Amino acid sequence: MAKKTNENKQLAQNKKASHDYFIEETFEAGMVLMGTEIKSVRAGKANINDAFATIRNGEMFIHNMHISPFEQGNRHNPTDPTRARKLLLHKVQIHKLLGQSKQEGYAIVPLKIYVRNGYAKLLIGLGKGKKQYDKRESAAKKDAQRDIQRALREKQKVAR
C-alpha cells in the first residue's frame, strides 16, 4: 500500500494581496466544491486574483474565485466557474473575522489555495488596506533587501 503523504502543494496564490494589504492574521479554511472542481483545483486551474470573501448568516463565502471546468468532466460540472463557494471555518473564527472586518479599512482577503491531506484549503487573511505611500515604502524595503542579498552573494563569490 502506498502511504499518503502530508503534502502542502500550493496551487494558486494572490500576489496582489501582499501589495495592497497589510496582512495581520491568517486563517485556514476548507472549501465546499462540487463535482469535478477538485480535479481542476489540483491541476492548478484556479485563480483567486479578483476574489473576495463575505460573511452572510453566520457563514463565509468566497466570490469571484475562478475554477475552470475540468475537460474530462461529466455533466455534473457546475456551469458557473465564478460561483460563490462556501468556506468551512469554526464559528468562533467567523465571529472574530466578522468583528474585525467591520472596522474601517479592513477586508477579508484570499491569499493562496493548497492541498493538505487530500483536501483543498484556502488561506484567508485579515488585511488592512495600504495607502500609496505605504506601497512605495514596502517596495523600497524590498529593493534594499535585494541589494543586500546581491552584495552578500558577490562577497561570497570573491571569497572562494
Side-chain angles (χ1 to χ4, degrees), residues 135-147:
K135 293 178 185 178
R136 285 194 294 263
E137 182 180 309
S138 63
K141 283 182 184 178
K142 193 183 288 185
D143 289 342
Q145 190 66 28
R146 192 179 309 125
D147 290 340

Side-chain angles (χ1 to χ4, degrees), residues 12-14 46-51 62 65-66 110-113 122:
Q13 184 175 6
N14 188 356
N47 185 355
I48 57 172
N49 288 340
D50 298 329
I62 185 161
M65 179 174 73
H66 188 276
L111 301 174
K112 66 180 177 177
I113 297 175
L122 177 70

Side-chain angles (χ1 to χ4, degrees), residues 23-27 55 60 92-108 125-129:
I23 305 299
E24 296 183 358
E25 197 170 355
T26 60
F27 297 92
I55 299 174
M60 183 170 284
V92 174
Q93 293 174 327
I94 291 174
H95 289 302
K96 184 175 184 178
L97 279 169
L98 179 64
Q100 291 179 338
S101 67
K102 292 282 186 189
Q103 297 176 13
E104 179 101 13
Y106 282 89
I108 303 169
L126 182 69
K128 182 168 177 59

Side-chain angles (χ1 to χ4, degrees), residues 6-7 10 23 32 42 47 52 69 80 84 92 98 101 116 122 126 130 132-133 137 142 144 150 155 158 160:
N6 189 4
E7 61 193 62
Q10 181 175 322
I23 305 299
V32 177
R42 285 187 180 158
N47 185 355
F52 61 96
D80 185 18
V92 174
L98 179 64
S101 67
R116 175 177 285 168
L122 177 70
L126 182 69
K130 285 186 182 179
Q132 188 64 34
Y133 60 85
E137 182 180 309
K142 193 183 288 185
R150 188 178 298 132
K155 190 173 184 179
V158 172
R160 288 183 184 173

